[in-house]
Amino acid sequence: MWIPLAAALLASTVQAEPLTYAAALRLAESAAPTLQASALRIDAAQATEQAAGRLPDPKLSLGMENVPVSGPYAGRWDAAEMTMARVGLMQEVPNAGRRRAATATAQAETQMAIADTDLQRRRVRVATALAWIDLAYAERRLAVLDQLVDGLKPLWEGLSAGVESGSARPAAGLEPTRLRAEFDNRRSALVAEVTQARASLTRWTGAVNPMAAGEPPYAEIEPADLRARIADHPALQLLAAATQRAKADVAGARAARRPDWGVEVMYGRRDPMFGDMVSAAVTVSLPLFASQRQDPVIAARTAQASRARLLEADMRRELDASLEADLATYAANHDQWLRAKDVLVPIAEQMAQLEIASYSAGRADYSNLVEAFTDLADTKLAALDREALVARDGARIVLTYGSDNP
């Protein structure tokens, strides 16, 4: 038997998994693959930091020296006085500035990984919060519409009876069918909104067929506190760590102007009649052409460091501006929601009741009644839309600019 798509989608709510707002945030943090990937990046950066600035591995040198290749002793390594088997150990020692720069770079990479993880966590929490709020209010809109339709059924039945008795025009008998179709269209759209919001919440939490449970969040907006927390925003911390890495790169480039050195110790094994030999050597790099090699690199790293500082300053401006814009939007939506809830909805309800009374007294026709109830549905759904905007704005502001706690 054919089942309408909307009915099939709503039937799935029987197996829905109730999920509160706070539980959704916790579940998203524990289940989001992006956060798990970011945690692995921190592990990798911390492991790299442990090795940064260490001396390179020593090198083992093995060889044969002074083996005759001509003359009476050609090919005999034990016949010539200077022929010997050699084993040596070499250790390269980069200068201290280069090692300090490598350590600073690794530390900055760790801080970048931590800041990026915090930023990803906030994004996941914001997306989860908005998905939960969208689902909660989509379900509420659907319930409000169903309640209004249920309230119209007695009127539809009364009109049908009036047509049968002859007190109402025959054409009026078609009006309930038309109105039902219009409300069914709106219901289908709301069912789609519920399904879309549920899919979005599943994407972030992994919950199977979730259903919003409990009350929507009420955000306590404290503008002064939020402004004070801008400096701790992960996006700003990420760029601050990038600036520190750029500074470490400059220090490393400058350290390349100073010599590196190395040491080598060698033991040579010869024929016993000649005796063994020990050698030692020190190598020193000579950055003699700094203007053509090291200086251009220093200039490039310095420019990159300046760029990092400017990007950090620009991010601070962007966050400040975004917060002020979001606060203004929240205030406007909050005022509009209060007017819709406290003024517009009560007026629409009173008008619907007055039209019912007028219709019962014969002073209004069915079209006036339809218009009043259609306006009531529009007003109630619009009020829920504004309430959802306030909830979305509040959650997004608190989770974006506030602390990482639910």
Side-chain angles (χ1 to χ4, degrees):
M1 186 175 78
W2 180 80
I3 300 177
L5 177 60
L9 292 174
L10 282 180
S12 66
T13 60
V14 176
Q15 296 84 24
E17 177 182 347
L19 195 63
T20 65
Y21 176 75
L25 294 183
R26 290 193 300 268
L27 189 58
E29 283 196 57
S30 63
T34 54
L35 295 184
Q36 296 173 10
S38 295
L40 292 175
R41 179 185 174 185
I42 293 177
D43 293 342
Q46 291 175 338
T48 302
E49 185 180 342
Q50 296 177 5
R54 306 284 184 176
L55 291 178
D57 290 334
K59 297 178 181 179
L60 179 65
S61 174
L62 301 173
M64 296 288 294
E65 293 189 359
N66 303 320
V67 178
V69 295
S70 63
Y73 301 116
R76 295 181 55 190
W77 71 272
D78 58 344
E81 179 180 353
M82 298 304 297
T83 300
M84 62 181 174
R86 173 180 57 81
V87 58
L89 191 65
M90 295 182 293
Q91 176 66 62
E92 295 179 353
V93 184
N95 68 69
R98 194 189 292 269
R99 299 200 302 273
R100 285 194 298 269
T103 300
T105 297
Q107 291 172 345
E109 285 283 356
T110 299
Q111 293 305 312
M112 289 175 64
I114 293 173
D116 182 65
T117 299
D118 292 340
L119 183 59
Q120 293 297 329
R121 180 180 296 108
R122 290 199 180 194
R123 289 173 177 170
V124 167
R125 286 162 59 82
V126 168
T128 304
L130 297 184
W132 190 95
I133 291 171
D134 289 344
L135 178 58
Y137 280 96
E139 292 172 345
R140 287 189 174 195
R141 293 186 194 98
L142 191 59
V144 166
L145 185 64
D146 286 342
Q147 183 180 11
L148 289 171
V149 171
D150 288 341
L152 285 172
K153 287 180 179 178
L155 296 176
W156 290 339
E157 295 171 356
L159 183 62
S160 299
V163 171
E164 293 175 358
S165 65
S167 60
R169 294 178 292 109
L174 300 176
E175 190 64 22
T177 302
R178 185 190 67 80
L179 193 58
R180 273 196 205 95
E182 291 184 358
F183 278 112
D184 285 343
N185 287 340
R186 301 185 70 169
R187 193 173 192 278
S188 297
L190 291 177
V191 169
E193 291 181 10
V194 170
T195 304
Q196 292 164 1
R198 181 171 290 129
S200 179
L201 189 57
T202 298
R203 180 257 183 272
W204 292 109
T205 63
V208 178
N209 202 19
M211 178 181 65
E215 291 298 316
Y218 178 77
E220 292 286 349
I221 304 296
E222 298 291 343
D225 181 65
L226 294 172
R227 293 186 184 106
R229 291 180 180 272
I230 287 292
D232 299 326
H233 196 281
L236 199 57
Q237 294 297 314
L238 178 60
L239 290 179
T243 299
Q244 293 303 314
R245 174 178 174 171
K247 290 180 179 179
D249 290 341
V250 172
R254 288 176 176 167
R257 292 176 59 95
R258 298 191 293 271
D260 298 326
W261 60 282
V263 61
E264 179 180 2
V265 178
M266 181 193 71
Y267 182 84
R269 175 68 175 173
R270 300 194 298 174
D271 188 280
M273 67 179 295
F274 301 120
D276 298 341
M277 301 180 69
V278 175
S279 301
V282 174
T283 60
V284 179
S285 63
L286 300 176
L288 299 177
F289 304 100
S291 61
Q292 300 174 359
R293 296 177 179 173
Q294 287 80 19
D295 289 352
V297 176
I298 293 173
R301 298 294 183 266
T302 301
Q304 291 171 350
S306 298
R307 176 179 178 274
R309 286 192 296 270
L310 291 173
L311 290 176
E312 182 182 352
D314 181 71
M315 177 56 69
R316 178 56 190 259
R317 292 185 181 184
E318 180 180 342
L319 289 173
D320 287 338
S322 297
L323 175 59
E324 297 305 322
D326 289 342
L327 289 174
T329 300
Y330 174 80
N333 288 336
H334 189 270
D335 290 344
Q336 292 172 1
W337 167 58
L338 291 180
R339 281 191 289 270
K341 177 175 67 74
D342 298 334
V343 179
L344 297 180
V345 170
I347 288 177
E349 289 176 340
Q350 292 175 17
M351 291 180 65
Q353 294 301 320
L354 290 173
E355 289 295 347
I356 291 176
S358 297
Y359 180 76
S360 300
R363 295 194 301 270
D365 57 23
Y366 192 75
S367 62
N368 300 128
L369 201 59
V370 168
E371 182 179 356
F373 272 89
T374 301
D375 182 67
L376 176 60
D378 291 339
T379 303
K380 283 194 170 184
L381 292 176
L384 276 177
D385 289 341
R386 296 192 181 281
E387 184 179 347
L389 281 177
V390 172
R392 284 173 59 90
D393 289 344
R396 183 168 50 80
I397 289 173
V398 169
L399 295 176
T400 299
Y401 304 101
S403 68
D404 287 332
N405 295 321

